[in-house]
Amino acid sequence: MDHWQGRQAELATLAGWLQDPSVRLVGVVAAGGYGKSALAAKLLAGTPEAQAFEQTLWTSVSQPLSFGVWSREVLRLLGAGDIDASLSDQQVITLGVNFLAQRHCLVVVGYVESLLA
């Protein structure tokens, strides 16, 4: 990223969390326009901690959809294969949690509030 200025403390905090094996989930929350996506992009591009993951996936949920539908797509993109269509959303979510617990993956989700609607 060209012309990056400031937010070194936030980057250092996030990088530290990425190194901590006890940290399984990090949320960066603020109203639109505060630079959450820019901060994540800078973290992914500029820190060795972000490069240590087996897989990195950046996904954005700009349209409302169920968490189960989104989970199916994330699992497909991470290489879990096609998920049986007969599985309930809860079963897919459980499958996703188990899949991610066995791997060192970094998943960045933009507009996550769409999944919670």
Side-chain angles (χ1 to χ4, degrees), residues 18-30:
L18 292 182
Q19 288 180 311
D20 185 342
S22 69
V23 174
R24 306 292 295 168
L25 178 68
V26 174
V28 178
V29 181

Side-chain angles (χ1 to χ4, degrees), residues 39-81:
L39 183 64
K42 180 66 175 177
L43 179 74
L44 291 176
T47 63
E49 295 83 8
Q51 307 307 314
F53 288 87
E54 292 173 38
Q55 289 180 278
T56 300
L57 175 64
W58 185 294
T59 180
S60 180
V61 188
S62 58
Q63 299 294 321
L65 69 146
S66 78
F67 195 77
V69 169
W70 176 80
S71 296
R72 288 173 196 275
E73 182 62 10
V74 166
L75 286 168
R76 186 188 67 75
L77 291 170
L78 290 174

